[in-house]
Amino acid sequence: MARSTFTAVCLLVFMACAACKGCGDPCADVACGDGQACQDGVCLLNTTPCDPACTADQVCEDAVCVTPPAQCEASGDECDANRPAGNGFTCLDLDGFGLRPGQCVAPCDENGGCPTTELCFYLTAAADPACSTEADCGEGRDCSQGACRQTICRPSECSGFIEGVSTCQGLYSNITEFSIGAQCYEVGNGARYCYPAGSRTVGESCGDVIEAITTNNFAPTCASGLACVDDVCRLACHDDDICVDGEECILEEVDLIDDATGICGNACTPFELGSCGPGQTCLPVTADEGVCATAGTRSAFEPCVPGAGECADGNLCITYQNDPVAARCQPMCNLTVAPPNDDGSVGEFAQSQRDATCPQSESVGAWFAVTNLAEIGGAIDVYVGDAMTPLMAALPLDARSDSDAASPGAQWTSVLPGSSTVRILPAGAPRTDPPLAEQTVSFVADGATEMFVLPVAGALDDATLVLAGGSRALAPPAAGSASVRVMAALADQTPIDVVLVPPGDDLSVPANQFVLAASAPTATVGAFVDALAQDWDLLVFAAGDPRTDRATALVAAPITLTDGQIATLAVRGTVDPDDLPVAGAVLVDIVAPPPLGQGGPAFTCVDIQAGAFGFCQQSCGNASEGFAGVCEGEGMGCHPSFLRANNAWASLCAPLGDKPLDATCDPFGEFSECGEGLYCLEYGNTVPDYSALVRGRCASLCVDGTPADPVLSCPGTQACKPISIAPNYRIGQCGFPCEPSRTYGDVSCPLGLKSCKPAASLLEDAANPDALPTPVVTASFCSASGDIATGATCTANDCVAGSECMFPRSAQTDFTSTLLSQYFGAAGLVPSCTPQCDPFEGDSSSTTCAADETCLFNFPYSAEVGHCAPVTVDLEPLQPCSNPGHACGKDSICVVNGTPTCFQFCQYTGPDAAGQPRPETCAAGFFCSPLVNDVGVCLSP
């Protein structure tokens, strides 16, 4: 049964526990009157016993079981909790304190749903019978965390953030936990409940409300009537009457806190320095509206106290990795110039637009190149920004910009970072003429931006010009190959399929066709594909047409790819044979721009999920020269950082410690204790001078592929383990390489690092996010292990090699926790050293699962590392299931995904020759879709 996020969370809070008949003995907190006795949490008349006992909807009066009139007609009706409710309802004391009459509650529907303004809760009691599947429980009960639980839809107990304060204080003012006030919070599905107020006042920093509900620690939250907005407590309002000191009620229309609820403050223009006046700064709330707050005098990169208003106008006090000691003032950047994609990701071009709102140094340049593929209008001039002279003049068809004719191959021009307008005019035309094409482009500091001028929209004689392209990394091809990408520049906008075949090979054999692009749309730059450096026949077909006859191809021409070549294949012209020119193709070689090296660090705009704004973090390079003290600010150093919105690693300036190489450190600390150029490597309990808390050693970072790097290199027998396999990130971590055995260990590994497991990663195509990623088996490195025997209890990575410290699989509440329940645990479960096995019938382990078990993958290694788990029910993939967290078939787990669903997993090996997913180890009729590393999930077409 699916549950709202707050179903399990709210049970941790005392209000919810009070709503479940004592959360232990169902009669523990029930005080029955004279002549009554408690049965299953309900007081029944006991003057004259009835034999046999009465049913739940009856009462015993004078030895006779009678059915009283129904108390409940609708959810939320008041009722007597000592008598049956009727009409399918239950009468419960939901506040748990006996402060008000009982309320009528109905069970949740089969999917855990409730009517609007109600939320689904489990009721727990010691008497709840044990279960392993839904079938073990009777009607109206759900198998959750190993017991049959009753579910109820709990009605809201307050209405509105502001109005609810008086309601909640009236209900709970005599309760110790509410001694400093109450708040009314919405926690999902429009349901609002009362919670204790915190101690933070107007202008003070505040903690997350959801975290407070989860941990039952409300002290860091705001006082009654105050809302936490951008980590600062502010007075909530509906109109100006409640506001003081000249402030107004602003932002009501954006429903910032609740319906038509704003905050008291002074409105300002976001991202405009000085818009609030002296001593103030503008905190953006939306793209166009902000609220003034106190500003301090601390400049960018100086230490600060979160919520204390110490940073100067235009800066934010950012807490790195949740540690206030590591807080620094950072310049603010504008996220609204480039909203994220629907899935929350941020593409390269969008990121460059955001970066341009940071205070980029003029000493940091960017590279720009233009290729003219227009076919109409003749040669062109290219203007950038407000310049009165063209950056590139009289650029002919098929020509790439050449910024320095005296230097052969210098095809890139240096421009200033930031947003600029690029305008295309006929060669020699006055700058004031209407442009043939115009586009705003964000040039990335130390980045390369290339644009292609293309004809689109109609036949060539009616075509208009557009600019296509953007910022991208130029990755070198594999040895013996060329990297080629396809751009459809057809004026009539026909999508195309582009294939290479060896000269003279039979097209009727699909295996002879190497697909460069499938259904490539016009004016879109495709992904780079590595193709063998050799002679080919280039064939272009209208998308979806049969590719069996060269005579039906739009383009059929010989082409030669050379070793190391990086090129764009532009297919242009039109499909209509009456138009001239007809479809043709041209290869435009790309020459990588030289490194700029023009000055101080650039900035990247980091999304902190605060709405309209993020913060600017200094970039410190992708190789060792970035780790040489270039970071500004006290205690700041260069460190690998993961940018979640971009799904990529970058080297950025962040607060660091000062511990030297080989010093002891905490590998799980909030921020690095080791100095610049170092990281904390975890060891197991057999390492000399082991400490359960400080179980790491400061080890060196490195530059992948450059073992003799002058700044970042690995000592002795160590090697460089890449942090990311993305080709544009080269920083790695020094470690000890190993060869995995059938027992997942390597005796050559150092003490405390005897574990050796196969590893894999997924390589995404940044230039083509729609393409399937490629799984890459990466080198294995020694990892933490100890001397705790298989089967013994454990608490950390101290098991012998071949075992991992894990809980038994258990019921959980969401996708991640049910998928990996062995790492989350549950009440009463104890972790133990669990032997590892090969999940997908490989041969890398000597451990064999029992006949009624299957091997489920572990995280985050590869499809070669897993653990045995009993199959509690055997279902087909994507069927509903009732045993969340447990195996539901071969390679299958019952996962909470809205409703619990049985997902089968597979060993993902990448797309086939046509770029489509393979079946792999999935059941018949399913294909293997990538999930993580080289593990996939089986989906239906």
Side-chain angles (χ1 to χ4, degrees):
M1 181 181 292
R3 297 281 170 257
S4 163
T5 301
F6 288 89
T7 302
V9 168
C10 290
L11 289 175
L12 301 176
V13 185
F14 63 88
M15 284 81 72
C17 284
C20 56
K21 303 181 183 178
C23 293
D25 180 357
C27 292
D29 299 321
V30 179
C32 297
D34 293 339
Q36 296 178 327
C38 177
Q39 296 183 19
D40 292 331
V42 178
C43 290
L44 302 177
L45 295 174
N46 197 32
T47 52
T48 305
C50 289
D51 189 15
C54 300
T55 61
D57 60 347
Q58 296 177 324
V59 294
C60 182
E61 295 182 355
D62 297 327
V64 178
C65 292
V66 298
T67 302
Q71 299 186 80
C72 297
E73 298 292 337
S75 179
D77 285 353
E78 291 187 356
C79 56
D80 182 354
N82 297 324
R83 300 182 68 82
N87 290 331
F89 289 92
T90 301
C91 184
L92 291 177
D93 173 11
L94 288 174
D95 65 29
F97 301 104
L99 301 176
R100 52 180 167 163
Q103 283 183 278
C104 299
V105 293
C108 309
D109 67 26
E110 62 180 7
N111 294 321
C114 292
T116 304
T117 73
E118 298 184 16
L119 207 59
C120 188
F121 284 78
Y122 287 113
L123 302 184
T124 63
D128 289 340
C131 62
S132 58
T133 69
E134 205 75 18
D136 297 334
C137 301
E139 185 177 354
R141 286 183 175 262
D142 182 39
C143 187
S144 172
Q145 297 181 333
C148 294
R149 313 289 192 191
Q150 183 181 350
T151 64
I152 63 163
C153 288
R154 183 182 181 185
S156 292
E157 60 180 351
C158 52
S159 177
F161 183 83
I162 295 176
E163 299 82 353
V165 169
S166 59
T167 302
C168 293
Q169 289 179 336
L171 290 172
Y172 298 109
S173 58
N174 295 325
I175 304 302
T176 302
E177 288 82 359
F178 288 82
S179 60
I180 60 173
Q183 294 275 52
C184 177
Y185 292 129
E186 179 184 345
V187 291
N189 198 35
R192 297 176 172 88
Y193 305 108
C194 298
Y195 295 94
S199 59
R200 303 297 168 84
T201 61
V202 172
E204 291 187 328
S205 62
C206 46
D208 180 68
V209 170
I210 303 305
E211 182 178 351
I213 293 173
T214 304
T215 61
N216 199 23
N217 177 22
F218 292 90
T221 63
C222 298
S224 288
L226 304 184
C228 190
V229 178
D230 293 332
D231 300 325
V232 176
C233 290
R234 301 186 182 280
L235 183 61
C237 57
H238 288 318
D239 51 49
D240 297 343
D241 293 344
I242 195 175
C243 301
V244 296
D245 297 331
E247 293 184 337
E248 300 176 330
C249 190
I250 61 175
L251 302 168
E252 314 99 284
E253 72 281 0
V254 298
D255 299 333
L256 185 62
I257 304 163
D258 206 341
D259 296 339
T261 303
I263 58 175
C264 291
N266 295 311
C268 56
T269 303
F271 312 109
E272 183 178 301
L273 291 179
S275 66
C276 290
Q280 297 277 297
T281 188
C282 185
L283 292 181
V285 177
T286 69
D288 305 310
E289 298 178 284
V291 58
C292 292
T294 301
T297 58
R298 293 184 179 272
S299 302
F301 320 118
E302 291 190 42
C304 56
V305 176
E310 296 179 330
C311 298
D313 189 13
N315 292 273
L316 303 166
C317 187
I318 298 298
T319 302
Y320 282 83
Q321 300 169 336
N322 301 317
D323 192 327
V325 175
R328 296 292 189 275
C329 293
Q330 298 285 160
M332 189 186 307
C333 56
N334 187 352
L335 304 181
T336 67
V337 297
N341 300 320
D342 291 340
D343 62 358
S345 63
V346 178
E348 287 185 9
F349 187 67
Q351 184 63 44
S352 69
Q353 290 178 293
R354 293 178 171 192
D355 294 345
T357 67
C358 289
Q360 303 289 0
S361 169
E362 290 190 1
S363 64
V364 178
W367 291 106
F368 184 42
V370 175
T371 300
N372 182 7
L373 300 172
E375 293 185 299
I376 58 174
I380 59 172
D381 291 339
V382 180
Y383 289 85
V384 175
D386 297 328
M388 299 306 295
T389 58
L391 183 70
M392 303 154 195
L395 190 65
L397 179 67
D398 293 346
R400 195 175 183 83
S401 57
D402 190 341
S403 62
D404 185 359
S407 175
Q411 297 176 335
W412 295 83
T413 299
S414 180
V415 294
L416 290 178
S419 294
S420 295
T421 300
V422 176
R423 304 170 75 245
I424 306 298
L425 278 77
R431 186 187 181 282
T432 54
D433 279 5
L436 300 172
E438 184 176 40
Q439 184 173 311
T440 299
V441 177
S442 288
F443 297 111
V444 181
D446 280 326
T449 300
E450 56 174 335
M451 307 299 294
F452 297 84
V453 184
L454 308 173
V456 296
L460 281 176
D461 53 354
D462 297 322
T464 59
L465 299 185
V466 298
L467 282 161
S471 300
R472 61 191 67 252
L474 301 178
S481 300
S483 283
V484 184
R485 61 181 172 186
V486 172
M487 177 192 295
L490 295 172
D492 46 15
Q493 303 186 62
T494 301
I496 56 174
D497 295 338
V498 182
V499 298
L500 299 177
V501 295
D505 273 11
D506 185 358
L507 286 180
S508 64
V509 181
N512 289 344
Q513 301 184 19
F514 183 83
V515 180
L516 285 182
S519 298
T522 290
T524 300
V525 181
F528 277 113
V529 177
D530 280 2
L532 290 176
Q534 64 179 47
D535 292 336
W536 295 94
D537 283 347
L538 167 68
L539 303 175
V540 179
F541 298 87
D545 281 1
R547 303 198 299 260
T548 57
D549 187 353
R550 282 177 168 78
T552 64
L554 304 178
V555 177
I559 187 174
T560 299
L561 300 180
T562 59
D563 189 6
Q565 184 180 29
I566 305 177
T568 297
L569 175 65
V571 180
R572 76 266 185 89
T574 70
V575 173
D576 191 336
D578 294 331
D579 285 331
L580 291 174
V582 296
V586 61
L587 269 180
V588 181
D589 284 351
I590 293 174
V591 178
L596 286 171
Q598 292 187 2
F603 290 85
T604 188
C605 180
V606 179
D607 190 342
I608 53 176
Q609 307 297 312
F613 63 87
F615 74 95
C616 300
Q617 193 169 358
Q618 286 182 296
S619 174
C620 45
N622 190 13
S624 67
E625 61 267 18
F627 288 80
V630 300
C631 295
E632 300 179 38
E634 176 186 340
M636 301 288 280
C638 197
H639 197 68
S641 302
F642 184 71
L643 300 174
R644 189 169 303 279
N646 309 84
N647 193 32
W649 285 86
S651 295
L652 303 174
C653 296
L656 297 178
D658 57 4
K659 289 189 174 181
L661 186 70
D662 294 327
T664 58
C665 55
D666 178 5
F668 310 113
E670 293 294 349
F671 72 102
S672 177
E673 301 173 324
C674 302
E676 191 172 40
L678 304 175
Y679 78 104
C680 190
L681 172 63
E682 181 193 7
Y683 282 76
N685 64 0
T686 53
V687 69
D689 302 321
Y690 167 82
S691 166
L693 296 178
V694 187
R695 53 187 294 134
R697 301 290 186 273
C698 290
S700 181
L701 294 171
C702 50
V703 178
D704 185 31
T706 314
D709 186 271
V711 178
L712 300 180
S713 57
C714 299
T717 59
Q718 296 185 33
C720 193
K721 176 183 178 182
I723 293 176
S724 169
I725 63 171
N728 60 341
Y729 193 71
R730 299 175 57 208
I731 300 300
Q733 297 173 333
C734 292
F736 298 90
C738 61
E739 291 294 333
S741 66
R742 292 175 59 86
T743 55
Y744 298 104
D746 189 332
V747 294
S748 68
C749 290
L751 284 175
L753 297 173
K754 293 293 185 181
S755 183
C756 181
K757 294 175 282 288
S761 293
L762 275 181
L763 180 60
E764 302 280 352
D765 189 338
N768 184 9
D770 294 329
L772 288 171
T774 303
V776 177
V777 177
T778 55
S780 296
F781 283 78
C782 304
S783 57
S785 67
D787 58 7
I788 300 179
T790 299
T793 58
C794 53
T795 57
N797 291 328
D798 295 327
C799 298
V800 294
S803 290
E804 186 172 348
C805 190
M806 297 190 307
F807 291 93
R809 297 200 68 89
S810 60
Q812 300 291 331
T813 58
D814 57 28
F815 184 88
T816 301
S817 62
T818 49
L819 186 66
L820 303 173
S821 69
Q822 71 273 24
Y823 297 112
F824 287 84
L829 297 181
V830 177
S832 63
C833 291
T834 305
Q836 290 160 335
C837 56
D838 190 334
F840 303 106
E841 298 184 349
D843 58 359
S844 63
S845 173
S846 60
T847 302
T848 302
C849 297
D852 59 348
E853 293 181 327
T854 187
C855 186
L856 302 178
F857 70 93
N858 291 350
F859 183 82
Y861 311 110
S862 76
E864 303 291 334
V865 186
H867 65 284
C868 296
V871 179
T872 58
V873 60
D874 197 1
L875 300 174
E876 294 295 318
L878 304 185
Q879 294 298 302
C881 52
S882 58
N883 58 331
H886 295 270
C888 52
K890 181 180 181 296
D891 302 331
S892 301
I893 303 172
C894 183
V895 177
V896 174
N897 186 43
T899 58
T901 304
C902 186
F903 279 95
Q904 185 182 32
F905 299 90
C906 48
Q907 185 161 9
Y908 174 71
T909 60
D912 60 18
Q916 300 301 308
R918 309 170 193 266
E920 302 299 357
T921 55
C922 297
F926 292 83
F927 67 88
C928 188
S929 177
L931 179 67
V932 61
N933 300 337
D934 58 345
V935 174
V937 59
C938 300
L939 301 178
S940 58

